Amino acid sequence: MTEIKGGVCAPKGFSAGGIRCGIKPSSSKKDLALIYSDKLCDAAAMFTKNIVKAASVQLTQKNIEGEKLRAIIANSGNANACTGEAGMDAAKRMVQSIANESQIDTSEVAVASTGVIGVPLPIDLIEKNVSVLKNSLRSDEQGHLDALEAIMTTDIRKKEIAVEIEINGVPVRIGAMAKGSGMIHPDMAAANNSAKHATMLAFVTTDAAVEKSALNSSLRNAVERSFNCTTVDGDTSTNDTIIIMANGEAANAPIATGSADYEVFSNALEFVCVSLAKMMARDGEGATKLVTVTVSGAKSEKDARIIAKSVASSSLVKAACFGADANWGRVLCAMGYSGVEFLPENVNVSFKSEAGEITVCENGGSVSFSEEKAKEILSKEEIEILISMKEGSAAASVWGCDLTYDYVKINGDYRS
Amino acid sequence: MTEIKGGVCAPKGFSAGGIRCGIKPSSSKKDLALIYSDKLCDAAAMFTKNIVKAASVQLTQKNIEGEKLRAIIANSGNANACTGEAGMDAAKRMVQSIANESQIDTSEVAVASTGVIGVPLPIDLIEKNVSVLKNSLRSDEQGHLDALEAIMTTDIRKKEIAVEIEINGVPVRIGAMAKGSGMIHPDMAAANNSAKHATMLAFVTTDAAVEKSALNSSLRNAVERSFNCTTVDGDTSTNDTIIIMANGEAANAPIATGSADYEVFSNALEFVCVSLAKMMARDGEGATKLVTVTVSGAKSEKDARIIAKSVASSSLVKAACFGADANWGRVLCAMGYSGVEFLPENVNVSFKSEAGEITVCENGGSVSFSEEKAKEILSKEEIEILISMKEGSAAASVWGCDLTYDYVKINGDYRS
């Protein structure tokens, strides 16, 4: 597997574009994006489990039932959530407008929105600019970058990746973009499940030929180990959406579940999703650090993930990371209220970064360690909290960030 | 019911005291407290459900099994949690020292600790000063205040209350003190349950004669509707403890479960616990506001409480309260990921304070409202988020606070 340029435009047969139609108050920021495939794609998606779902989520859940897509249209600056019937009408008109423009069926269009909740979507601005949007499509990296810029809200960093792998000697590509900085605590399920909401959007394209069931299971496994293992503020949004489109242009023999090809493809997709998830955590609102919590020696991967997410979500642990304070007691505390049963006396905790590694807790109790060294380790931009449990052999990692003054500042008055 | 002075010393037959023995780094702050009854009391207690429990919690859970107590000894500045066998040994010596000093059985002594986790408790300092502690006992309000001061950590405000009620014409008193400012998300269960942890301590005294079963159920109901409905930072501590001692000095006919007297006593105890819980939320680390979330029209009181706690715990809602930003979409979002099933289109939300009340969401959607008026309402020190659901007739309130720069500051380097 090699990383390549181009994002969602890297795989054959995909183009993308992004423009400003005027949804965002800022006078210059792009706010309308389109990802387009020359031919009809097999598609799979997952959505927030939040009971309160944006109109765009509800409509895309319906359109994805056919498991076929040609286009994804997305806007930033407005979540089109909690906007009643008018919101659903706006989502439908958004889909209709690009379907008409492209002369494709509305069922082949997915729609996504992100931004403030509860404000009516100015659909007229979108309809007025949809042909400009269509004409902005490019199959090169710039098209990808324009679309990516158009889905960003409080994001500071661009979240994108593309890889090339070989399926039976045939080169196959996977490209992706994501947005997400706040209201990030994804808990996504397949379209047919009841679904939650946290504003992260991720769009993945591939020119691989993949059987529908394989595409679905591969996506679920990747999301379970990536986005669903990420937290910024514990708030699961109303708009979380991840969509993958596979157009088969690479002309490989269709990938079937359980095959060796499936493993290769699934590992690559997981790598892509994990990479984006880590970028999201690192770019968490106000974050100064990426905090990776890894639990090993757990009874099951699920237990490990629940414990790691509890620690990564703890306001006290996050604040201690910000202060580079080796307050390991808060780590054990957060493990203890995770809901997973375990023996505290089996727990070891150490902190790690490029500055080194230091054990701060052994067998659930204190060990003498150098506060200065711990502070040096925790002062780096990427830190790890390593927890070992002696309860079993399962492990999992969760990606989060520190809690800072800027998080409070950004969210104290988000709408103005 | 009338509020009176005196705290835990208000009921007949109780005395209290507090001294400095040197656990806290500060050179002046009290850190060792004692609450004492002239005669043996019936007692009930509840403890954190955190798997990781302080040694003091584990020992008091054992001592409370006899449901009889004479004394509560408590220290601040050190949680005596995650300190292994040495921690349990220290807790036992703490109990032994005051038992010897008072010539009572160790099974009649409860012990509680609060402060930093994972640091060995300097038990020698406690043993050295235990006779000074015993001699500091006073049956007047000053004794209560000395003890209260000695259990405070990051608390800024004193949390205390005392009330007098009439049981069958006999005047009966209930007095209480509490501490708790950070690591506050209590989830307490009776001693025999498996238990979580969040550092809140509450000690209640009463001169009422109450049958054991009545004392237990009355405490459980009160805690369920007070401390377990309070959150500052979502972190359920390793030391949360509430203990009630009833010495029967009021000489009323013993209160039996289900009687009219039981209702009177239970309502008074609930009032006492709710009052302390609200003081705790208002005094949350860095908090500038008390935020009361009330859900009505829910299918069950449990559903209402889960939804209200989800909203009060949301970092985004808390930050919006700090910024006086009427971001009601975050309220619906937090309701939506609470885990309770409901119809968003049945939800109305309004904000209320001494400046007035304003409806910001009707039937799950936006309504036009004055942003200026909303800002004025949300700028007050005590604000309410009122949620109605049209799903049933149950209601519940949860008390929380805003998320501020100072919360981050206080917890960025708690130990120094």
Side-chain angles (χ1 to χ4, degrees), chain A residues 85-402:
Chain A
E85 287 174 14
M88 180 51 75
D89 178 59
K92 284 178 177 169
R93 283 169 60 185
M94 196 163 162
V95 166
Q96 188 71 60
S97 65
I98 193 65
N100 292 348
E101 190 67 31
S102 316
Q103 286 152 8
I104 58 177
D105 192 276
T106 54
S107 67
E108 299 167 14
V109 179
V111 56
S113 301
T114 177
V116 64
I117 299 173
V119 176
L121 181 69
I123 184 63
D124 53 322
L125 291 175
I126 294 172
E127 288 175 330
K128 213 176 299 166
N129 291 279
V130 73
S131 55
V132 182
L133 176 66
K134 184 67 166 41
N135 293 328
S136 76
L137 286 176
R138 301 169 54 135
S139 57
D140 60 6
E141 182 172 31
Q142 191 54 51
H144 159 77
L145 291 172
D146 291 342
L148 174 52
E149 190 186 324
I151 61 169
M152 289 166 70
T153 53
T154 52
D155 304 68
I156 292 169
R157 300 162 179 229
K158 289 191 167 65
K159 302 163 188 71
E160 55 174 343
I161 186 170
V163 299
E164 181 167 301
I165 53 176
E166 275 206 355
I167 297 292
N168 253 321
V170 180
V172 160
R173 292 176 160 194
I174 303 175
M177 66 171 62
K179 69 81 52 178
S181 183
M183 202 179 266
I184 296 297
H185 192 77
D187 182 9
M188 297 188 286
N192 54 328
N193 295 26
S194 81
K196 265 188 200 172
H197 156 190
T199 306
M200 64 146 280
L201 301 180
F203 305 132
V204 186
T205 59
T206 179
D207 48 20
V210 190
E211 290 182 1
K212 282 180 179 178
S213 62
L215 192 63
N216 271 302
S217 62
S218 187
L219 180 67
R220 289 183 199 210
N221 295 336
V223 168
E224 201 52 52
R225 293 178 171 182
S226 56
F227 300 112
N228 284 1
C229 291
T230 310
T231 182
V232 167
D233 50 20
D235 282 273
T236 301
S237 159
T238 49
N239 292 49
D240 290 344
T241 301
I242 178 166
I243 299 169
I244 182 168
M245 297 168 74
N247 65 7
E249 292 279 288
N252 58 293
I255 297 167
T257 313
S259 65
D261 294 346
Y262 178 78
E263 288 310 308
V264 175
F265 179 78
S266 294
N267 290 340
L269 183 58
E270 183 175 328
F271 173 80
V272 164
C273 291
V274 166
S275 301
L276 294 173
K278 289 168 76 170
M279 293 177 204
M280 235 180 259
R282 176 61 187 89
D283 196 30
E285 287 174 337
T288 68
K289 292 167 186 168
L290 170 66
V291 180
T292 302
V293 180
T294 299
V295 172
S296 61
K299 287 197 196 78
S300 67
E301 186 177 330
K302 183 168 176 249
D303 278 3
R305 193 172 295 130
I306 291 170
I307 290 170
K309 203 159 186 177
S310 183
V311 172
S313 302
S314 161
S315 295
L316 289 168
V317 170
K318 288 156 63 70
C321 289
F322 173 56
D325 175 18
N327 198 325
W328 61 269
R330 292 177 179 172
V331 174
L332 262 77
C333 177
M335 293 174 69
Y337 63 71
S338 67
V340 174
E341 294 282 332
F342 65 91
L343 292 176
E345 52 267 41
N346 283 345
V347 175
N348 291 358
V349 178
S350 62
F351 297 127
K352 185 181 175 186
S353 77
E354 61 186 12
E357 179 172 348
I358 190 166
T359 298
V360 291
C361 165
E362 268 176 4
N363 306 319
S366 57
V367 289
S368 67
F369 62 90
S370 158
E371 289 283 350
E372 297 64 33
K373 183 62 183 176
K375 192 132 209 124
E376 185 198 350
I377 290 169
L378 292 173
S379 298
K380 300 301 176 185
E381 264 197 33
E382 298 198 358
I383 60 180
E384 291 181 71
I385 299 176
L386 304 175
I387 299 165
S388 69
M389 296 181 66
K390 309 190 194 81
E391 301 263 328
S393 56
S397 288
V398 165
W399 301 279
C401 59
D402 53 344

Side-chain angles (χ1 to χ4, degrees), chain B residues 276-300:
Chain B
L276 293 174
K278 289 169 76 170
M279 293 177 204
M280 233 180 258
R282 176 61 188 88
D283 197 29
E285 287 173 338
T288 68
K289 292 165 186 167
L290 170 66
V291 180
T292 302
V293 180
T294 299
V295 172
S296 61
K299 286 198 196 78
S300 67

Side-chain angles (χ1 to χ4, degrees), chain B residues 399-415:
Chain B
W399 300 279
C401 59
D402 53 344
L403 175 63
T404 72
Y405 298 114
D406 282 351
Y407 178 83
V408 177
K409 182 160 192 235
I410 292 165
N411 289 298
D413 199 359
Y414 175 70
R415 299 180 311 156

Side-chain angles (χ1 to χ4, degrees), chain A residues 49-53 81-84 116-120 182-183 194 196-197 233-238 285 314-317 319-320 322-330 332-344 364-366 369 371 375 403-415, chain B residues 49-53 81-84 116-120 182-183 194 196-197 233-238 285 314-317 319-320 322-330 332-344 364-366 369 371 375 403-415:
Chain A
K49 287 199 203 135
N50 198 311
I51 296 283
V52 179
K53 280 183 282 294
C82 305
T83 44
V116 64
I117 299 173
V119 176
M183 202 179 266
S194 81
K196 265 188 200 172
H197 156 190
D233 50 20
D235 282 273
T236 301
S237 159
T238 49
E285 287 174 337
S314 161
S315 295
L316 289 168
V317 170
F322 173 56
D325 175 18
N327 198 325
W328 61 269
R330 292 177 179 172
L332 262 77
C333 177
M335 293 174 69
Y337 63 71
S338 67
V340 174
E341 294 282 332
F342 65 91
L343 292 176
S366 57
F369 62 90
E371 289 283 350
K375 192 132 209 124
L403 175 62
T404 72
Y405 298 114
D406 282 352
Y407 178 84
V408 176
K409 182 157 194 248
I410 292 165
N411 289 297
D413 198 359
Y414 175 69
R415 299 179 311 156
Chain B
K49 288 199 204 135
N50 198 310
I51 296 283
V52 180
K53 279 183 282 294
C82 305
T83 43
V116 64
I117 300 173
V119 175
M183 202 178 267
S194 80
K196 264 191 201 169
H197 156 189
D233 50 20
D235 282 274
T236 301
S237 159
T238 47
E285 287 173 338
S314 161
S315 294
L316 290 168
V317 170
F322 174 56
D325 176 17
N327 199 324
W328 60 269
R330 293 177 179 173
L332 262 78
C333 176
M335 292 175 69
Y337 63 71
S338 66
V340 175
E341 295 283 332
F342 65 91
L343 292 176
S366 57
F369 62 89
E371 288 282 351
K375 191 132 208 125
L403 175 63
T404 72
Y405 298 114
D406 282 351
Y407 178 83
V408 177
K409 182 160 192 235
I410 292 165
N411 289 298
D413 199 359
Y414 175 70
R415 299 180 311 156

